[in-house]
Amino acid sequence: MRTMLIPVVLLVSLAAFRAAGALGVRRFATWRSAAAHGLAVMLVLTASAHFAPPSVTVMPTFADMVAMVPPFVPFPEAVVVLTGVLEVAGLVGLVLTRTRRAAAVCLALLFVAMFPANAYAALAEVTLAGDPATPLPQRLLEQLLYIGVAVFVAWPARGAAAETPAEDDAEALSRR
């Protein structure tokens, strides 16, 4: 069932990154860092759909995304491209410690702003890659998961030394 793929990717990625942290990979030493990277992996998949051509059959395409946009939203094609670009910017922001909190806050807001499209898709029975859109109650729970993870990543860590920018950015990686 494709409808469960995205939250599973998020949770499995988060668990894998945190396991790597437990095994000594400093980049994933905290739950927030692991969650940020898990969310970034998830966003690679979701952002890809915003740009996928009609020939792609294994995932929703650009046309599917346009069909999800509620009729009251003007310029649906531009909205799909814009939200895809914002997802890509968000995933890049999540993997860089210096921009992680800002990216997570912006993504939480983006997830809230995009929910009407998901609700419309469920209620209007829009198909995505030939499958029905995720039922609204399930989609609401998924959206709350994504928002919750983004808020968790953005929440200030306890103690100033809990997660420093040098912890996992390029300069620290070059010293390893």
Side-chain angles (χ1 to χ4, degrees):
M1 176 187 275
R2 281 187 232 190
T3 60
M4 288 302 295
L5 177 65
I6 300 302
V8 168
V9 166
L10 169 61
L11 296 173
V12 169
S13 298
L14 187 157
F17 287 127
R18 188 60 194 107
L23 293 172
V25 179
R26 289 184 288 179
R27 183 172 189 86
F28 311 119
T30 67
W31 279 102
R32 277 183 179 76
S33 182
H37 287 81
L39 195 56
V41 169
M42 180 200 86
L43 286 166
V44 168
L45 293 178
T46 60
S48 298
H50 292 248
F51 306 103
S55 59
V56 173
T57 59
V58 296
M59 63 186 277
T61 65
F62 174 79
D64 293 327
M65 298 289 106
V66 170
M68 288 178 64
V69 178
F72 64 84
V73 176
F75 311 110
E77 293 87 357
V79 169
V80 169
V81 171
L82 175 64
T83 55
V85 168
L86 292 173
E87 286 185 10
V88 171
L91 79 88
V92 171
L94 287 171
V95 299
L96 301 172
T97 307
R98 295 179 197 282
T99 57
R100 182 169 297 151
R101 286 187 67 205
V105 168
C106 290
L107 284 166
L109 295 171
L110 181 64
F111 295 148
V112 169
M114 291 191 314
F115 184 70
N118 291 292
Y120 173 76
L123 297 173
E125 300 178 357
V126 173
T127 59
L128 306 170
D131 292 334
T134 306
L136 188 55
Q138 178 184 337
R139 184 57 202 195
L140 175 61
L141 292 175
E142 287 178 22
Q143 206 75 6
L144 290 172
L145 171 67
Y146 309 148
I147 293 165
V149 171
V151 168
F152 173 70
V153 170
W155 204 264
R158 288 187 195 151
E163 193 168 354
T164 61
E167 174 185 309
D168 64 7
D169 281 344
E171 69 182 64
L173 291 174
S174 67
R175 291 192 304 248
R176 293 184 187 155

mmCIF file of all heavy atoms in Angstrom, residues 66-118:
data_model
loop_
_atom_site.group_PDB
_atom_site.id
_atom_site.type_symbol
_atom_site.label_atom_id
_atom_site.label_comp_id
_atom_site.label_asym_id
_atom_site.label_seq_id
_atom_site.Cartn_x
_atom_site.Cartn_y
_atom_site.Cartn_z
ATOM 1 N N VAL A 66 -0.815 18.723 -9.318
ATOM 2 C CA VAL A 66 -1.673 19.821 -9.785
ATOM 3 C C VAL A 66 -3.141 19.474 -9.516
ATOM 4 O O VAL A 66 -3.919 20.328 -9.084
ATOM 5 C CB VAL A 66 -1.427 20.130 -11.276
ATOM 6 C CG1 VAL A 66 -2.471 21.098 -11.822
ATOM 7 C CG2 VAL A 66 -0.018 20.699 -11.470
ATOM 8 N N ALA A 67 -3.514 18.222 -9.723
ATOM 9 C CA ALA A 67 -4.898 17.801 -9.490
ATOM 10 C C ALA A 67 -5.281 17.906 -8.010
ATOM 11 O O ALA A 67 -6.464 18.051 -7.688
ATOM 12 C CB ALA A 67 -5.096 16.371 -9.971
ATOM 13 N N MET A 68 -4.308 17.860 -7.126
ATOM 14 C CA MET A 68 -4.574 17.969 -5.689
ATOM 15 C C MET A 68 -4.877 19.393 -5.243
ATOM 16 O O MET A 68 -5.466 19.598 -4.180
ATOM 17 C CB MET A 68 -3.348 17.496 -4.882
ATOM 18 C CG MET A 68 -3.096 16.033 -4.906
ATOM 19 S SD MET A 68 -1.602 15.624 -3.974
ATOM 20 C CE MET A 68 -2.060 16.100 -2.315
ATOM 21 N N VAL A 69 -4.462 20.363 -6.009
ATOM 22 C CA VAL A 69 -4.618 21.758 -5.604
ATOM 23 C C VAL A 69 -6.108 22.118 -5.645
ATOM 24 O O VAL A 69 -6.760 21.951 -6.675
ATOM 25 C CB VAL A 69 -3.801 22.697 -6.516
ATOM 26 C CG1 VAL A 69 -4.013 24.159 -6.126
ATOM 27 C CG2 VAL A 69 -2.311 22.339 -6.449
ATOM 28 N N PRO A 70 -6.630 22.619 -4.538
ATOM 29 C CA PRO A 70 -8.060 22.984 -4.520
ATOM 30 C C PRO A 70 -8.373 24.041 -5.578
ATOM 31 O O PRO A 70 -7.524 24.890 -5.892
ATOM 32 C CB PRO A 70 -8.264 23.560 -3.114
ATOM 33 C CG PRO A 70 -7.143 23.024 -2.301
ATOM 34 C CD PRO A 70 -5.986 22.852 -3.244
ATOM 35 N N PRO A 71 -9.579 24.013 -6.130
ATOM 36 C CA PRO A 71 -9.949 24.942 -7.207
ATOM 37 C C PRO A 71 -9.849 26.418 -6.834
ATOM 38 O O PRO A 71 -9.660 27.250 -7.714
ATOM 39 C CB PRO A 71 -11.404 24.573 -7.531
ATOM 40 C CG PRO A 71 -11.624 23.230 -6.953
ATOM 41 C CD PRO A 71 -10.646 23.051 -5.842
ATOM 42 N N PHE A 72 -9.963 26.762 -5.556
ATOM 43 C CA PHE A 72 -9.899 28.170 -5.168
ATOM 44 C C PHE A 72 -8.477 28.733 -5.171
ATOM 45 O O PHE A 72 -8.280 29.933 -5.036
ATOM 46 C CB PHE A 72 -10.547 28.389 -3.790
ATOM 47 C CG PHE A 72 -9.848 27.687 -2.658
ATOM 48 C CD1 PHE A 72 -8.750 28.262 -2.022
ATOM 49 C CD2 PHE A 72 -10.299 26.455 -2.203
ATOM 50 C CE1 PHE A 72 -8.109 27.613 -0.988
ATOM 51 C CE2 PHE A 72 -9.671 25.802 -1.157
ATOM 52 C CZ PHE A 72 -8.562 26.385 -0.546
ATOM 53 N N VAL A 73 -7.476 27.872 -5.351
ATOM 54 C CA VAL A 73 -6.082 28.329 -5.371
ATOM 55 C C VAL A 73 -5.704 28.688 -6.804
ATOM 56 O O VAL A 73 -5.785 27.840 -7.695
ATOM 57 C CB VAL A 73 -5.131 27.237 -4.821
ATOM 58 C CG1 VAL A 73 -3.673 27.670 -4.937
ATOM 59 C CG2 VAL A 73 -5.485 26.892 -3.379
ATOM 60 N N PRO A 74 -5.288 29.930 -7.036
ATOM 61 C CA PRO A 74 -4.918 30.325 -8.405
ATOM 62 C C PRO A 74 -3.555 29.750 -8.800
ATOM 63 O O PRO A 74 -2.733 29.440 -7.941
ATOM 64 C CB PRO A 74 -4.862 31.850 -8.332
ATOM 65 C CG PRO A 74 -4.577 32.159 -6.901
ATOM 66 C CD PRO A 74 -5.192 31.038 -6.089
ATOM 67 N N PHE A 75 -3.358 29.610 -10.092
ATOM 68 C CA PHE A 75 -2.088 29.164 -10.666
ATOM 69 C C PHE A 75 -1.591 27.853 -10.041
ATOM 70 O O PHE A 75 -0.492 27.792 -9.467
ATOM 71 C CB PHE A 75 -1.019 30.258 -10.531
ATOM 72 C CG PHE A 75 -1.467 31.605 -10.994
ATOM 73 C CD1 PHE A 75 -1.693 32.629 -10.084
ATOM 74 C CD2 PHE A 75 -1.693 31.846 -12.349
ATOM 75 C CE1 PHE A 75 -2.123 33.877 -10.506
ATOM 76 C CE2 PHE A 75 -2.128 33.096 -12.773
ATOM 77 C CZ PHE A 75 -2.344 34.115 -11.855
ATOM 78 N N PRO A 76 -2.362 26.773 -10.140
ATOM 79 C CA PRO A 76 -1.987 25.530 -9.470
ATOM 80 C C PRO A 76 -0.632 24.964 -9.909
ATOM 81 O O PRO A 76 0.104 24.425 -9.080
ATOM 82 C CB PRO A 76 -3.130 24.571 -9.812
ATOM 83 C CG PRO A 76 -3.853 25.192 -10.948
ATOM 84 C CD PRO A 76 -3.613 26.659 -10.869
ATOM 85 N N GLU A 77 -0.282 25.118 -11.178
ATOM 86 C CA GLU A 77 1.014 24.616 -11.643
ATOM 87 C C GLU A 77 2.154 25.342 -10.938
ATOM 88 O O GLU A 77 3.130 24.732 -10.494
ATOM 89 C CB GLU A 77 1.160 24.757 -13.165
ATOM 90 C CG GLU A 77 0.220 23.871 -13.958
ATOM 91 C CD GLU A 77 -1.143 24.507 -14.215
ATOM 92 O OE1 GLU A 77 -1.418 25.649 -13.733
ATOM 93 O OE2 GLU A 77 -1.959 23.858 -14.894
ATOM 94 N N ALA A 78 2.034 26.655 -10.825
ATOM 95 C CA ALA A 78 3.063 27.441 -10.145
ATOM 96 C C ALA A 78 3.130 27.088 -8.657
ATOM 97 O O ALA A 78 4.218 27.025 -8.075
ATOM 98 C CB ALA A 78 2.799 28.936 -10.321
ATOM 99 N N VAL A 79 1.983 26.827 -8.054
ATOM 100 C CA VAL A 79 1.946 26.450 -6.640
ATOM 101 C C VAL A 79 2.666 25.122 -6.428
ATOM 102 O O VAL A 79 3.432 24.957 -5.472
ATOM 103 C CB VAL A 79 0.491 26.390 -6.120
ATOM 104 C CG1 VAL A 79 0.404 25.743 -4.749
ATOM 105 C CG2 VAL A 79 -0.109 27.785 -6.095
ATOM 106 N N VAL A 80 2.457 24.176 -7.330
ATOM 107 C CA VAL A 80 3.121 22.875 -7.215
ATOM 108 C C VAL A 80 4.634 23.032 -7.347
ATOM 109 O O VAL A 80 5.401 22.455 -6.567
ATOM 110 C CB VAL A 80 2.560 21.875 -8.253
ATOM 111 C CG1 VAL A 80 3.414 20.613 -8.327
ATOM 112 C CG2 VAL A 80 1.118 21.531 -7.916
ATOM 113 N N VAL A 81 5.073 23.814 -8.313
ATOM 114 C CA VAL A 81 6.512 24.043 -8.472
ATOM 115 C C VAL A 81 7.069 24.752 -7.237
ATOM 116 O O VAL A 81 8.100 24.352 -6.689
ATOM 117 C CB VAL A 81 6.814 24.842 -9.755
ATOM 118 C CG1 VAL A 81 8.275 25.274 -9.802
ATOM 119 C CG2 VAL A 81 6.461 24.011 -10.986
ATOM 120 N N LEU A 82 6.384 25.786 -6.775
ATOM 121 C CA LEU A 82 6.848 26.534 -5.607
ATOM 122 C C LEU A 82 6.949 25.641 -4.371
ATOM 123 O O LEU A 82 7.960 25.660 -3.665
ATOM 124 C CB LEU A 82 5.925 27.717 -5.322
ATOM 125 C CG LEU A 82 6.253 28.511 -4.046
ATOM 126 C CD1 LEU A 82 7.619 29.170 -4.157
ATOM 127 C CD2 LEU A 82 5.168 29.541 -3.773
ATOM 128 N N THR A 83 5.921 24.845 -4.108
ATOM 129 C CA THR A 83 5.977 23.991 -2.923
ATOM 130 C C THR A 83 7.060 22.921 -3.057
ATOM 131 O O THR A 83 7.714 22.564 -2.079
ATOM 132 C CB THR A 83 4.608 23.356 -2.611
ATOM 133 O OG1 THR A 83 4.133 22.659 -3.766
ATOM 134 C CG2 THR A 83 3.600 24.410 -2.172
ATOM 135 N N GLY A 84 7.286 22.436 -4.269
ATOM 136 C CA GLY A 84 8.381 21.488 -4.489
ATOM 137 C C GLY A 84 9.737 22.121 -4.216
ATOM 138 O O GLY A 84 10.596 21.527 -3.569
ATOM 139 N N VAL A 85 9.911 23.346 -4.708
ATOM 140 C CA VAL A 85 11.171 24.071 -4.458
ATOM 141 C C VAL A 85 11.345 24.327 -2.965
ATOM 142 O O VAL A 85 12.447 24.171 -2.415
ATOM 143 C CB VAL A 85 11.208 25.390 -5.266
ATOM 144 C CG1 VAL A 85 12.337 26.290 -4.811
ATOM 145 C CG2 VAL A 85 11.324 25.085 -6.763
ATOM 146 N N LEU A 86 10.266 24.691 -2.281
ATOM 147 C CA LEU A 86 10.351 24.929 -0.838
ATOM 148 C C LEU A 86 10.690 23.646 -0.076
ATOM 149 O O LEU A 86 11.439 23.682 0.902
ATOM 150 C CB LEU A 86 9.044 25.538 -0.320
ATOM 151 C CG LEU A 86 8.756 26.964 -0.794
ATOM 152 C CD1 LEU A 86 7.363 27.406 -0.355
ATOM 153 C CD2 LEU A 86 9.821 27.933 -0.309
ATOM 154 N N GLU A 87 10.166 22.516 -0.525
ATOM 155 C CA GLU A 87 10.525 21.246 0.108
ATOM 156 C C GLU A 87 12.007 20.935 -0.092
ATOM 157 O O GLU A 87 12.681 20.492 0.836
ATOM 158 C CB GLU A 87 9.654 20.103 -0.428
ATOM 159 C CG GLU A 87 8.243 20.130 0.094
ATOM 160 C CD GLU A 87 7.422 18.929 -0.347
ATOM 161 O OE1 GLU A 87 7.987 17.962 -0.907
ATOM 162 O OE2 GLU A 87 6.195 18.945 -0.103
ATOM 163 N N VAL A 88 12.520 21.161 -1.294
ATOM 164 C CA VAL A 88 13.946 20.930 -1.552
ATOM 165 C C VAL A 88 14.792 21.867 -0.692
ATOM 166 O O VAL A 88 15.770 21.446 -0.071
ATOM 167 C CB VAL A 88 14.277 21.097 -3.054
ATOM 168 C CG1 VAL A 88 15.785 21.084 -3.281
ATOM 169 C CG2 VAL A 88 13.604 20.000 -3.871
ATOM 170 N N ALA A 89 14.418 23.145 -0.642
ATOM 171 C CA ALA A 89 15.159 24.093 0.200
ATOM 172 C C ALA A 89 15.101 23.651 1.664
ATOM 173 O O ALA A 89 16.108 23.729 2.379
ATOM 174 C CB ALA A 89 14.582 25.504 0.038
ATOM 175 N N GLY A 90 13.947 23.182 2.095
ATOM 176 C CA GLY A 90 13.806 22.714 3.474
ATOM 177 C C GLY A 90 14.679 21.519 3.773
ATOM 178 O O GLY A 90 15.314 21.450 4.824
ATOM 179 N N LEU A 91 14.745 20.572 2.860
ATOM 180 C CA LEU A 91 15.570 19.386 3.123
ATOM 181 C C LEU A 91 17.049 19.747 3.171
ATOM 182 O O LEU A 91 17.789 19.211 4.000
ATOM 183 C CB LEU A 91 15.271 18.260 2.145
ATOM 184 C CG LEU A 91 15.843 18.273 0.731
ATOM 185 C CD1 LEU A 91 17.212 17.622 0.671
ATOM 186 C CD2 LEU A 91 14.898 17.535 -0.197
ATOM 187 N N VAL A 92 17.475 20.665 2.333
ATOM 188 C CA VAL A 92 18.871 21.124 2.395
ATOM 189 C C VAL A 92 19.111 21.848 3.721
ATOM 190 O O VAL A 92 20.121 21.613 4.399
ATOM 191 C CB VAL A 92 19.214 22.029 1.193
ATOM 192 C CG1 VAL A 92 20.575 22.690 1.372
ATOM 193 C CG2 VAL A 92 19.165 21.229 -0.103
ATOM 194 N N GLY A 93 18.177 22.701 4.114
ATOM 195 C CA GLY A 93 18.305 23.420 5.377
ATOM 196 C C GLY A 93 18.355 22.498 6.576
ATOM 197 O O GLY A 93 19.033 22.791 7.567
ATOM 198 N N LEU A 94 17.666 21.375 6.517
ATOM 199 C CA LEU A 94 17.652 20.436 7.641
ATOM 200 C C LEU A 94 18.991 19.749 7.869
ATOM 201 O O LEU A 94 19.347 19.444 9.002
ATOM 202 C CB LEU A 94 16.586 19.350 7.422
ATOM 203 C CG LEU A 94 15.140 19.761 7.591
ATOM 204 C CD1 LEU A 94 14.223 18.638 7.134
ATOM 205 C CD2 LEU A 94 14.836 20.171 9.028
ATOM 206 N N VAL A 95 19.733 19.491 6.816
ATOM 207 C CA VAL A 95 20.987 18.751 6.988
ATOM 208 C C VAL A 95 22.147 19.649 7.421
ATOM 209 O O VAL A 95 23.191 19.146 7.818
ATOM 210 C CB VAL A 95 21.374 17.927 5.737
ATOM 211 C CG1 VAL A 95 20.302 16.890 5.437
ATOM 212 C CG2 VAL A 95 21.629 18.797 4.536
ATOM 213 N N LEU A 96 21.953 20.942 7.351
ATOM 214 C CA LEU A 96 22.973 21.876 7.819
ATOM 215 C C LEU A 96 22.584 22.392 9.204
ATOM 216 O O LEU A 96 21.518 22.974 9.373
ATOM 217 C CB LEU A 96 23.113 23.054 6.845
ATOM 218 C CG LEU A 96 23.494 22.684 5.412
ATOM 219 C CD1 LEU A 96 23.405 23.903 4.515
ATOM 220 C CD2 LEU A 96 24.877 22.057 5.381
ATOM 221 N N THR A 97 23.433 22.168 10.167
ATOM 222 C CA THR A 97 23.101 22.534 11.544
ATOM 223 C C THR A 97 22.786 24.010 11.681
ATOM 224 O O THR A 97 21.875 24.384 12.405
ATOM 225 C CB THR A 97 24.247 22.147 12.492
ATOM 226 O OG1 THR A 97 24.556 20.775 12.280
ATOM 227 C CG2 THR A 97 23.859 22.347 13.935
ATOM 228 N N ARG A 98 23.512 24.847 10.978
ATOM 229 C CA ARG A 98 23.313 26.299 11.106
ATOM 230 C C ARG A 98 21.927 26.758 10.655
ATOM 231 O O ARG A 98 21.427 27.774 11.128
ATOM 232 C CB ARG A 98 24.386 27.051 10.322
ATOM 233 C CG ARG A 98 25.774 26.845 10.871
ATOM 234 C CD ARG A 98 26.801 27.595 10.047
ATOM 235 N NE ARG A 98 28.140 27.117 10.280
ATOM 236 C CZ ARG A 98 28.877 27.432 11.335
ATOM 237 N NH1 ARG A 98 28.401 28.221 12.259
ATOM 238 N NH2 ARG A 98 30.091 26.943 11.471
ATOM 239 N N THR A 99 21.322 26.047 9.748
ATOM 240 C CA THR A 99 20.013 26.447 9.219
ATOM 241 C C THR A 99 18.894 25.500 9.656
ATOM 242 O O THR A 99 17.742 25.701 9.276
ATOM 243 C CB THR A 99 20.049 26.493 7.677
ATOM 244 O OG1 THR A 99 20.455 25.207 7.182
ATOM 245 C CG2 THR A 99 21.001 27.573 7.181
ATOM 246 N N ARG A 100 19.225 24.494 10.434
ATOM 247 C CA ARG A 100 18.264 23.437 10.774
ATOM 248 C C ARG A 100 17.003 23.963 11.451
ATOM 249 O O ARG A 100 15.894 23.624 11.055
ATOM 250 C CB ARG A 100 18.947 22.399 11.658
ATOM 251 C CG ARG A 100 18.048 21.237 12.025
ATOM 252 C CD ARG A 100 18.810 20.124 12.659
ATOM 253 N NE ARG A 100 19.757 19.613 11.683
ATOM 254 C CZ ARG A 100 20.918 19.063 11.992
ATOM 255 N NH1 ARG A 100 21.279 18.943 13.248
ATOM 256 N NH2 ARG A 100 21.719 18.630 11.053
ATOM 257 N N ARG A 101 17.160 24.780 12.481
ATOM 258 C CA ARG A 101 15.978 25.264 13.212
ATOM 259 C C ARG A 101 15.067 26.102 12.316
ATOM 260 O O ARG A 101 13.856 25.918 12.300
ATOM 261 C CB ARG A 101 16.390 26.061 14.448
ATOM 262 C CG ARG A 101 16.910 25.144 15.550
ATOM 263 C CD ARG A 101 17.169 25.862 16.836
ATOM 264 N NE ARG A 101 15.903 26.319 17.386
ATOM 265 C CZ ARG A 101 15.779 27.339 18.211
ATOM 266 N NH1 ARG A 101 16.842 28.022 18.578
ATOM 267 N NH2 ARG A 101 14.609 27.695 18.677
ATOM 268 N N ALA A 102 15.656 27.013 11.567
ATOM 269 C CA ALA A 102 14.850 27.853 10.668
ATOM 270 C C ALA A 102 14.150 27.001 9.611
ATOM 271 O O ALA A 102 12.972 27.209 9.312
ATOM 272 C CB ALA A 102 15.719 28.917 10.009
ATOM 273 N N ALA A 103 14.877 26.036 9.055
ATOM 274 C CA ALA A 103 14.273 25.160 8.044
ATOM 275 C C ALA A 103 13.127 24.357 8.644
ATOM 276 O O ALA A 103 12.068 24.204 8.022
ATOM 277 C CB ALA A 103 15.331 24.221 7.465
ATOM 278 N N ALA A 104 13.312 23.860 9.850
ATOM 279 C CA ALA A 104 12.264 23.056 10.494
ATOM 280 C C ALA A 104 11.015 23.894 10.774
ATOM 281 O O ALA A 104 9.887 23.432 10.558
ATOM 282 C CB ALA A 104 12.799 22.421 11.769
ATOM 283 N N VAL A 105 11.208 25.119 11.240
ATOM 284 C CA VAL A 105 10.057 26.012 11.478
ATOM 285 C C VAL A 105 9.327 26.274 10.171
ATOM 286 O O VAL A 105 8.088 26.172 10.090
ATOM 287 C CB VAL A 105 10.507 27.334 12.134
ATOM 288 C CG1 VAL A 105 9.394 28.378 12.109
ATOM 289 C CG2 VAL A 105 10.987 27.095 13.557
ATOM 290 N N CYS A 106 10.077 26.608 9.129
ATOM 291 C CA CYS A 106 9.460 26.892 7.827
ATOM 292 C C CYS A 106 8.753 25.658 7.271
ATOM 293 O O CYS A 106 7.661 25.766 6.699
ATOM 294 C CB CYS A 106 10.511 27.394 6.843
ATOM 295 S SG CYS A 106 11.123 29.042 7.253
ATOM 296 N N LEU A 107 9.342 24.485 7.455
ATOM 297 C CA LEU A 107 8.690 23.265 6.975
ATOM 298 C C LEU A 107 7.411 22.967 7.753
ATOM 299 O O LEU A 107 6.416 22.539 7.167
ATOM 300 C CB LEU A 107 9.654 22.081 7.045
ATOM 301 C CG LEU A 107 10.701 22.058 5.943
ATOM 302 C CD1 LEU A 107 11.808 21.065 6.269
ATOM 303 C CD2 LEU A 107 10.065 21.742 4.589
ATOM 304 N N ALA A 108 7.424 23.180 9.054
ATOM 305 C CA ALA A 108 6.198 22.967 9.837
ATOM 306 C C ALA A 108 5.083 23.865 9.291
ATOM 307 O O ALA A 108 3.941 23.409 9.107
ATOM 308 C CB ALA A 108 6.448 23.240 11.316
ATOM 309 N N LEU A 109 5.415 25.115 9.006
ATOM 310 C CA LEU A 109 4.417 26.032 8.436
ATOM 311 C C LEU A 109 3.986 25.582 7.040
ATOM 312 O O LEU A 109 2.808 25.670 6.691
ATOM 313 C CB LEU A 109 4.977 27.453 8.408
ATOM 314 C CG LEU A 109 5.244 28.082 9.779
ATOM 315 C CD1 LEU A 109 5.999 29.402 9.621
ATOM 316 C CD2 LEU A 109 3.952 28.263 10.555
ATOM 317 N N LEU A 110 4.931 25.109 6.249
ATOM 318 C CA LEU A 110 4.608 24.611 4.906
ATOM 319 C C LEU A 110 3.679 23.401 4.990
ATOM 320 O O LEU A 110 2.714 23.298 4.226
ATOM 321 C CB LEU A 110 5.888 24.256 4.144
ATOM 322 C CG LEU A 110 5.707 23.755 2.712
ATOM 323 C CD1 LEU A 110 5.095 24.833 1.822
ATOM 324 C CD2 LEU A 110 7.042 23.287 2.149
ATOM 325 N N PHE A 111 3.947 22.493 5.927
ATOM 326 C CA PHE A 111 3.086 21.319 6.089
ATOM 327 C C PHE A 111 1.658 21.734 6.464
ATOM 328 O O PHE A 111 0.690 21.122 6.011
ATOM 329 C CB PHE A 111 3.651 20.356 7.127
ATOM 330 C CG PHE A 111 4.973 19.732 6.748
ATOM 331 C CD1 PHE A 111 5.899 19.409 7.728
ATOM 332 C CD2 PHE A 111 5.301 19.465 5.428
ATOM 333 C CE1 PHE A 111 7.104 18.823 7.404
ATOM 334 C CE2 PHE A 111 6.513 18.884 5.085
ATOM 335 C CZ PHE A 111 7.426 18.562 6.077
ATOM 336 N N VAL A 112 1.533 22.753 7.284
ATOM 337 C CA VAL A 112 0.203 23.268 7.640
ATOM 338 C C VAL A 112 -0.449 23.875 6.398
ATOM 339 O O VAL A 112 -1.619 23.600 6.096
ATOM 340 C CB VAL A 112 0.293 24.310 8.778
ATOM 341 C CG1 VAL A 112 -1.037 25.035 8.960
ATOM 342 C CG2 VAL A 112 0.734 23.645 10.080
ATOM 343 N N ALA A 113 0.303 24.672 5.658
ATOM 344 C CA ALA A 113 -0.247 25.349 4.480
ATOM 345 C C ALA A 113 -0.650 24.370 3.375
ATOM 346 O O ALA A 113 -1.594 24.639 2.624
ATOM 347 C CB ALA A 113 0.766 26.352 3.931
ATOM 348 N N MET A 114 0.038 23.249 3.284
ATOM 349 C CA MET A 114 -0.260 22.291 2.215
ATOM 350 C C MET A 114 -1.383 21.325 2.587
ATOM 351 O O MET A 114 -1.898 20.616 1.715
ATOM 352 C CB MET A 114 0.994 21.496 1.843
ATOM 353 C CG MET A 114 2.027 22.356 1.144
ATOM 354 S SD MET A 114 3.403 21.454 0.389
ATOM 355 C CE MET A 114 3.890 20.300 1.630
ATOM 356 N N PHE A 115 -1.782 21.290 3.846
ATOM 357 C CA PHE A 115 -2.816 20.327 4.237
ATOM 358 C C PHE A 115 -4.129 20.483 3.468
ATOM 359 O O PHE A 115 -4.744 19.470 3.106
ATOM 360 C CB PHE A 115 -3.076 20.338 5.748
ATOM 361 C CG PHE A 115 -4.066 19.298 6.148
ATOM 362 C CD1 PHE A 115 -3.730 17.953 6.105
ATOM 363 C CD2 PHE A 115 -5.359 19.642 6.506
ATOM 364 C CE1 PHE A 115 -4.656 16.971 6.427
ATOM 365 C CE2 PHE A 115 -6.294 18.674 6.833
ATOM 366 C CZ PHE A 115 -5.941 17.333 6.795
ATOM 367 N N PRO A 116 -4.588 21.696 3.168
ATOM 368 C CA PRO A 116 -5.836 21.788 2.388
ATOM 369 C C PRO A 116 -5.774 21.028 1.056
ATOM 370 O O PRO A 116 -6.786 20.473 0.621
ATOM 371 C CB PRO A 116 -6.015 23.292 2.171
ATOM 372 C CG PRO A 116 -5.351 23.898 3.366
ATOM 373 C CD PRO A 116 -4.142 23.023 3.611
ATOM 374 N N ALA A 117 -4.620 20.982 0.424
ATOM 375 C CA ALA A 117 -4.502 20.223 -0.825
ATOM 376 C C ALA A 117 -4.682 18.733 -0.565
ATOM 377 O O ALA A 117 -5.334 18.026 -1.353
ATOM 378 C CB ALA A 117 -3.153 20.485 -1.487
ATOM 379 N N ASN A 118 -4.123 18.256 0.534
ATOM 380 C CA ASN A 118 -4.285 16.845 0.872
ATOM 381 C C ASN A 118 -5.736 16.532 1.241
ATOM 382 O O ASN A 118 -6.266 15.478 0.885
ATOM 383 C CB ASN A 118 -3.338 16.471 2.015
ATOM 384 C CG ASN A 118 -1.907 16.505 1.557
ATOM 385 O OD1 ASN A 118 -1.481 15.694 0.760
ATOM 386 N ND2 ASN A 118 -1.154 17.472 2.046
#
